[in-house]
Amino acid sequence: MIRGVTATVCLFVILVATPRGTARQQEQPAPPTFTLDAIFDGAAAATSASRPVWSPDGTQLAYVWEEGDSSAIWVLDVESGKARSVFGLGDFSWAERDADPTQISEAGYQWAPDGQALLAQLETDLYLIDVAAGTARRLTETAERESDPRFSPDGTQVAVVRDFDLVLLDLESGTERVLTDDGDGDRIRNGIPDWVYWEELWGREGRGYWWSPEGGSIAYYRFDDSDVGRYPLANQVAPYPDVTWQRYPTAGTKNPTVQVGVLRLAGGATTWLQTGSRSDIYLARVDWAEDGSAVYVQRLNRDQTRLELLQCDPEDGRCKTLITEEQRTWVNLSDDYEILDDGRIVWPSERSGWKQLYLYSPDGALIRQLTRVPGAVASLESADEKSGDIIFTAFGAPPLGAARREVYRTSLEGGEAESLTTADGWNVADVAPGGSGYWIHGWSDANRPGESVVRNADGKVVVELPSKAATIAPEDLPAWELLTIPGPNGSKLPARMIRPPDQKANERYPVIMYHYGGPGSQVVVDRWEDSPRSLWLKLMAQRGYVVFSVDNLGSTFFGKRGEDRLHRRFGEVELAAQRAGVDYLSSLPFVDAKRIGIWGWSGGGFNTLYSLTHAPGVWRAAVAGAPVADLTFYDTIWMERYMDHPADNAEGYRDSSPLTAADKLRDRLLIVHGLADDNVHPNNSVAFVAKLTDAGIPFESAFYPKQKHGFRGPAERHLYERMTDFFERALSPEQRVKSSHP
């Protein structure tokens, strides 16, 4: 189909100098009282530069800055420290990242290869922004939504997914060319993952095609979901509910059939890569060799115990295995790898029980171990062949090591890693490409929002990114304290706690515990969080509650060997940690052990139901949000990774599912679910409620129409109002018990 390019839009360009060491200041009104209003009107949240994207040469940084009710894309020239607004967003809005599997990158825009323009997706269409001129050209104006637009390597074309097919836009002529034509959004998808890949393998990034380095070919996914079961998501707010049918493979059922093909733009033919005779596998990552001579595919068996890096010939499709990673339990898929220009491979492995980085030769032979940090590598930030430097983020050993993050530099030639950060707390890095040496350093701790600055290769601050403090000062909020508590079998568990700010020595206070659980999970962090959930916990502390969280022996703190404790059996390890938390709290003179509540969402909702049904009477009340009630209701990739196939572990699935023990509930429960939840389907909560009803067990429930796995808009505030009311009734601070302790 051929279409023309539409109108040109003029933009107002503003030049702004951001001096080093300063942020934009404006007169602040008197601080409001810390209430739910303050949480949801933004008074308790700081404003900072968001969605940063480096230019290809690493000398410019684009970001979004909000000033009052308006926001714009700004571009910072790092060397001069000057920033300017190049695109006023006005009435445009960004697509929500977790709305569905047809999303572009989190930033919502990207640089052209020459660094002269930005490609932005706003609403459903694409715009090309000339950075120097301050003008934007609208590239598409269609009823259909464009997804995952990407420049060709020479910047003359843009590939995009529309209606589940690949489309090529020529920027000079404005013409379009359809590259695939059988996508239908239900069974067949080209260039875009289906839900289960998007959620469980790609971390909610809709990546489904890859340009070759010279721009003559595109490698892409083709999904066939014909054999995947469908779940009905109904919009109940209608006389006759509208139904959206979602392809969703539950544990033990058939997965999509996935292929990776290489499409040659010159002739339009596709060569399908020969990734193996078994169709029941996962093709988890795709990359091109720098010279275009090979396509690398990471193949994961369905049991997820064997991960192989395949090197495939894009001409004939033949593949060979370079690296094999195996675990008795499961292999954790990672983005922390890099295929270098000379063919060497930086590869992550948990073979020691902790993730470290290793260097392999182009033919897959191990050269050396690159990192030996006391705990584990958290993420690989960059691997630069010219400088020989590797930048990575890591954390220390148990018991509290993983609560913090530190940025390190080491060499491709091996040697001791050098820390680039000195402050305790949570340090992150976003390294510029192109060998410029610049990197964004973000820092915060549990009680201070911190800062984001641009540093050079020597670690010197070049410029501070703009920020604006919250109306309510962080120091005026109740503070977290990190600690360890006695755990099972003599272990020490990481925990954190907020005490009521007006704590009196002769009073006992009720407690709200927040948890998540599951393999590699973590809620105990020394990092500033200003999400509604995190601020609500501080609000409840201010209202007279002790707030407490503890992570279990299968959490990030204890590495891969810790995670493996949960293999084939969920609930027991997590419950043991929460009971240890209750024991610790009960030993404190200011805690009323008879008024302890617990809550969690998603995996935390599951563990809340498991805790109440397997330890009745320990908690006075609980809120379970979007819980998995029956493990066979959840998807193949996530559930089978940890629990194995239901046919091979029927007992584990049965005994781990809270639904099995629903009739053991004895404590007050509020169960919450969004009726449009496409992640943990609402039938989980419905099934649990049905079993409680059959057993004559009282409960409270809140089902929210049109809400997905994460609530938005008025429903989110309503949820926290409902939880506040529930805990106030069940654990009211007005009913504090006098302590016999001085």
Side-chain angles (χ1 to χ4, degrees), residues 399-410:
L400 279 174
R404 301 179 174 94
R405 295 290 187 272
E406 195 166 349
V407 180
Y408 290 89
R409 175 169 53 203
T410 192

Side-chain angles (χ1 to χ4, degrees), residues 599-606 608 623-628 670-673 685 709:
W599 82 284
W601 196 268
S602 190
F606 157 80
T608 297
V623 176
V628 177
L670 169 62
I671 190 166
V672 181
H673 222 117
S685 289
H709 198 54

Side-chain angles (χ1 to χ4, degrees), residues 524-539:
V524 177
V525 292
D526 191 9
R527 176 183 69 208
W528 177 256
E529 298 174 303
D530 58 10
S531 66
R533 182 204 72 216
S534 301
L535 292 173
W536 180 80
L537 291 173
K538 293 200 169 194
L539 174 64

